Each structure stands twice: as C-alpha cells, then as structure tokens.
Amino acid sequence: MALNRSMHPRNRYKDRPPDFAYLASKYPEFQQHVQTNLAGGVMLNFKDPEAVRALTCTLLKEDFGLSIEIPLERLIPTVPLRLNYIHWVEDLIGSRGDGEAQRRGIDIGTGASCIYPLLGATMNDWHFLATEVDDICYNYAKKNVEQNNLSDLIKVVKVPQKTLLMDALKEESSIIYDFCMCNPPFFANQLEAQGVNSRNSRRPPPSSVNTGGVTEIMAEGGELEFVKRIIHDSLQLKRRLRWYSCMLGKKCSLTPLKEELRKQGVPKVTHTEFCQGRTMRWALAWSFYEDVLVPSPPSKKRKMEKVRKPLTFSILQPTIRELQIKASACDSSQNSIVQAVAAWLEKTLSDLKVLHKRVPSGASELSLFLTAAENTWIHVRQKRREHARQVPRAPPVCSAETPTTPGTPPHFLFKCLLNVKPEAVGVLVEMHWVEGQNKDQMNQLCTYLKNAVLRTFTKPQ
C-alpha cells in the first residue's frame, strides 16, 4: 500500500493496515474470499466485487461496530479512503467546545452504504441529513441506519433527480449546518467510466473493481459540472453552512473549480489529498465565514515539513594544518581547527564581496549567515587578470579583525547558513539554503569554496 504513508495522520489504517489473516479467522463470510499465496501470505482479489464488499462490511464491523448491507450493483466504498474524508472534515470544523451545539452535516448522495453518516455519527456523534436520489440506495441507506440504531442522529431523505442542496434544505430553514460532504459522480459518460480517453496511458490499470449504479458514477458534465452546481447552490445558501466540501476523482478538476470560487468572490478556499494504496482522491472545501480556520493544503505542508539536505564538503587534516599555520601568523587566537577554517572562509567571502556575519551556533561549531548580492565567483581568474592590468596589486596585509559586514542589500541572489563543524577526518562545511532566486547560485558558490581550498593548499606533486 504505497500511498498509505500519505494518509491522514489520524487514520487508524495509516500505520496498521487491515490484517487479512486475523479478519479471515474471525469472520467466516470474509474468510471465503481470501487466498493464500506461495509465501503463506493472505491475499484478497480486489477485482472481485463480492470480495471488496466483504472487506468493507468486515472492517466496519470489526473497527466501528457497524453492520451494513450493500447490493453488488451499487457503489461499494473503501473504508480507509472514506475515513480520510471524515478526518479532514474534523480538521475543517474543529472540535466541539463545552456547551456548543452538536455538529450537523449534510451528505449529498449518501449511497446504499450511508457510510459517511454512519462513521460520523459513530465516531463523533454528528447529526446528519443524508440525501439520495436512487430508490435502491435510499432503501438500503435507511435500513443500514435503522439496524445500527442511529436514527436519532441520521435522517435519510429521498430527493428528486438533480437535487443537491437547495431543495433538500427547504424544510430545514432554521438550521445552520457545520458542513456538507459529497462523493460526486466522477464520470460524464460510459466511455469515460471505462477509462477510454480519460486515463493517462502511462498509468497502470486500476487495481480494484469499479462498482456503482449509473447515478453514482455518471452525471452530465462529470464531476466538474456536478461540483459547479453545488457551488451555485452555495452562493445562494452562503452562511447556512459553515463549510461546503466535495471529493474529486481527478486532480485536473481542482484548478477550474478553485478558479470558479475565486471569480465568485468566495473568501475561504482550501483543498487536500486522500491517499489509500494506489488510489488518490482530492477534496475541495470553501466557506463564506471569515472566522473559520483554514487547514493548509498538502503541498504547502510538504514544503514546510520537508527537510532539505545541505550542500557539504570536507577539509582534511593536512589542509587544516596549513590553514592553522597561516591563521596563527595573523591571529594567535585562531588555533582551533574550526576557527582556522572559519577564518579562511570569512577572508575568502570578503574577497568575493559576499556579506556574512557570525551567528549563534553549537559549542563545537561556528556558523555564518551569508547574503550574496551578486555573482562574484564565476570567472574569478579572468576578472582577477583584468583587474591586475588596471590596478597595481597592493601588498597583502593580515588583519586580526573579522571583516565588517554591512546591512542586507535591498536585492540579493540568495541567503544561506554556513556551518563549520569538526568531523573524524577534519572539518565539515555545510551550506543550508534559506531563501533567494536560484539554488544553482549557492551550488556554484559551494563548488568555488571547495575548489579554492584545493587550489590554495594542495601542493603540486
């Protein structure tokens, strides 16, 4: 299950996927659908709708105490993926404070399983208005609610075709809902549902069977037009719901829908990803309330959480000894290997006109904060020769003082943190990117410093 690491952090299946062997030993109706491979592992055929249904019913029974029935000719939901959506709605609406009213939500097209209301009511005591246009789905949904004794929390209503929110809320005019959920029909026609001209040829074929009735998997204009209709309803209902949300089966639907919300002036918009096995889904949420907290999209979270590896190079002991000799000739206080390397780096950076200053660091380390205003390390030898022809060379002067560093210029190429730290073979120099226009420029500076050490202190054989 390659994408499980990207599941919602509270999803119970993220780090503990279902144990098919245990479930087969406990539930005979599930056991008849599992197979044992040559290595002794227990497998399930996800292309068999009866096996998929058995897994869904077994997980709901084992982990949530829910008993449901789903006809094979209707959509069979996967529990981990639906659980991701529930947890994201929890993030959107926040936890209920003491004295606050019960959370209320709407499930647009609840399906035969009625899985979102059943999970939301069981896990969080949420109240649900669950709508359904299909007769078979409506009857099964009502039965599943009743047999789990959740009729006090879940109201299943039959609505006319093409009804989304407006008609469903006519009789509920005084209630403010916290959210709506929707798993819309993904496809515009039968060919698209079969993957013809809608699936990238480089992608592997689906690993599970595609189940569902016509109204569950297809709609005029596909998911894009379906969600646009929900957006149209939300523009009229506005603050009747604190959050509107929809799941999407295609990533390409996100951009036009977000653009539609922007054009309509909706103040709060966010999105997320739902991951399970090899399956990816996306979700979009929007609100007309200014005071709601908006969870960060996953792309921003990954950027904030991603640890960038620094650029590094090592300076070995023989080179450091020469550095120490030169440093002690100018300043006897530069006797440690870290101090000696840092002093040479500061001198080199000053020659390059790279702004730098020492910043607090660990006990055995030394850190410099660099601001590069211009690229002075490319074609240095050529520039030096041209300069020598025009200006007489001044005699070298040792200075015991660290070069002064003016303030940060208004325009800069990049900023980075340079750490000098001891290691077994000598000294390690690290360059950590902070911000700027192009990381390639920091790579060039790192290469220049590394080569400058070799040129300066490596004697020809």
Side-chain angles (χ1 to χ4, degrees):
M1 303 180 84
L3 291 172
N4 279 7
R5 63 181 181 177
S6 300
M7 293 172 77
H8 193 285
R10 293 196 301 277
N11 194 312
R12 66 184 300 136
Y13 304 108
K14 181 178 187 293
D15 300 311
R16 293 181 295 122
D19 186 339
F20 291 167
Y22 167 76
L23 294 174
S25 68
K26 186 173 180 180
Y27 297 94
E29 61 274 22
F30 179 68
Q31 195 277 333
Q32 62 181 314
H33 296 287
V34 300
Q35 302 168 348
T36 304
N37 60 23
L38 295 176
V42 178
M43 302 171 58
L44 192 72
N45 181 8
F46 283 93
K47 291 189 178 294
D48 178 2
E50 292 192 27
V52 175
R53 178 175 64 177
L55 176 61
T56 293
C57 293
T58 301
L59 289 179
L60 289 174
K61 181 67 175 177
E62 172 67 17
D63 296 327
F64 302 96
L66 294 168
S67 298
I68 70 166
E69 297 177 24
I70 314 171
L72 286 176
E73 65 271 18
R74 291 298 180 266
L75 189 66
I76 302 170
T78 53
V79 178
L81 192 60
R82 268 52 178 189
L83 198 54
N84 277 335
Y85 196 172
I86 290 286
H87 287 314
W88 190 55
V89 171
E90 292 171 350
D91 296 338
L92 290 172
I93 66 177
S95 57
R96 186 167 66 96
D98 294 336
E100 285 189 344
Q102 290 281 354
R103 301 297 195 190
R104 293 184 175 273
I106 302 170
D107 183 20
I108 302 171
T110 197
S113 65
C114 200
I115 190 167
Y116 290 130
L118 289 175
L119 287 174
T122 301
M123 295 166 58
N124 303 314
D125 289 329
W126 288 346
H127 287 258
F128 267 93
L129 175 66
T131 70
E132 184 51 63
V133 301
D134 180 80
D135 288 326
I136 294 176
C137 289
Y138 169 74
N139 291 329
Y140 270 91
K142 276 188 69 71
K143 182 178 181 181
N144 286 330
V145 170
E146 290 166 0
Q147 70 185 20
N148 286 285
N149 300 312
L150 290 170
S151 298
D152 57 331
L153 293 177
I154 302 170
K155 179 182 179 182
V156 183
V157 295
K158 177 75 165 57
V159 294
Q161 286 280 355
K162 297 189 177 181
T163 295
L164 297 177
L165 284 169
M166 292 297 296
D167 293 335
L169 293 180
K170 282 182 179 178
E171 299 179 7
E172 312 285 347
S173 58
S174 62
I175 299 177
I176 302 296
Y177 287 87
D178 293 282
F179 63 91
C180 74
M181 306 176 70
C182 181
N183 186 12
F186 293 155
F187 308 113
N189 51 56
Q190 191 66 43
L191 287 176
E192 194 174 298
Q194 294 171 354
V196 178
N197 299 327
S198 67
R199 190 176 182 89
N200 192 315
S201 60
R202 291 175 295 178
R203 291 179 60 191
S207 58
S208 59
V209 67
N210 185 17
T211 64
V214 173
T215 60
E216 293 178 296
I217 64 173
M218 287 186 289
E220 184 179 349
E223 67 180 12
L224 191 61
E225 292 305 316
F226 192 95
V227 177
K228 282 184 178 180
R229 287 167 52 206
I230 296 179
I231 292 174
H232 177 76
D233 279 7
S234 75
L235 293 171
Q236 299 177 67
L237 293 167
K238 288 195 173 179
R239 295 166 72 92
R240 285 286 308 279
L241 284 81
R242 289 186 64 83
W243 277 105
Y244 299 83
S245 75
C246 291
M247 184 193 287
L248 301 170
K250 305 173 189 174
K251 188 177 182 180
C252 63
S253 298
L254 264 179
T255 299
L257 290 173
K258 288 165 69 176
E259 177 61 20
E260 179 70 17
L261 290 166
R262 188 195 65 78
K263 287 196 303 186
Q264 299 296 342
V266 179
K268 302 286 185 177
V269 179
T270 189
H271 72 275
T272 193
E273 298 171 349
F274 300 141
C275 308
Q276 177 216 332
R278 284 168 49 186
T279 300
M280 285 288 295
R281 294 288 182 264
W282 296 264
L284 180 67
W286 63 99
S287 176
F288 295 90
Y289 282 80
E290 294 287 351
D291 62 338
V292 296
L293 297 176
V294 182
S296 296
S299 56
K300 290 185 179 179
K301 287 182 182 177
R302 281 197 291 268
K303 286 178 183 176
M304 290 187 289
E305 294 169 359
K306 186 177 180 180
V307 178
R308 296 190 180 99
K309 291 184 178 180
L311 301 177
T312 63
F313 64 91
S314 294
I315 303 178
L316 303 180
Q317 288 288 358
T319 303
I320 294 172
R321 280 195 290 271
E322 294 192 43
L323 279 173
Q324 286 179 301
I325 293 170
K326 291 203 172 190
S328 61
C330 292
D331 184 357
S332 59
S333 66
Q334 311 286 357
N335 52 5
S336 78
I337 59 174
V338 169
Q339 289 282 357
V341 171
W344 179 84
L345 287 169
E346 288 174 317
K347 172 66 169 59
T348 305
L349 292 169
S350 294
D351 292 343
L352 292 172
K353 299 180 182 178
V354 175
L355 305 180
H356 59 277
K357 63 179 179 180
R358 293 193 180 190
V359 294
S361 59
S364 61
E365 303 176 7
L366 197 148
S367 297
L368 302 173
F369 189 84
L370 277 54
T371 302
E374 58 178 322
N375 189 332
T376 56
W377 48 88
I378 294 295
H379 308 306
V380 173
R381 283 182 293 179
Q382 179 183 340
K383 293 175 183 176
R384 192 184 296 122
R385 285 195 297 268
E386 291 175 355
H387 182 72
R389 295 191 193 104
Q390 300 171 8
V391 182
R393 183 174 297 177
V397 178
C398 289
S399 172
E401 297 182 359
T402 301
T404 56
T405 302
T408 303
H411 302 288
F412 59 91
L413 296 178
F414 66 85
K415 297 178 182 180
C416 71
L417 184 68
L418 187 149
N419 292 331
V420 184
K421 56 177 67 174
E423 61 175 359
V425 295
V427 167
L428 179 69
V429 179
E430 296 179 341
M431 295 180 70
H432 297 262
W433 175 265
V434 176
E435 61 175 323
Q437 301 173 18
N438 192 333
K439 291 182 185 177
D440 289 341
Q441 311 246 2
M442 187 180 80
N443 295 353
Q444 293 169 1
L445 177 58
C446 182
T447 301
Y448 174 86
L449 293 174
K450 177 181 177 181
N451 292 338
V453 172
L454 296 174
R455 284 196 305 269
T456 305
F457 299 103
T458 302
K459 297 179 180 179
Q461 298 297 321

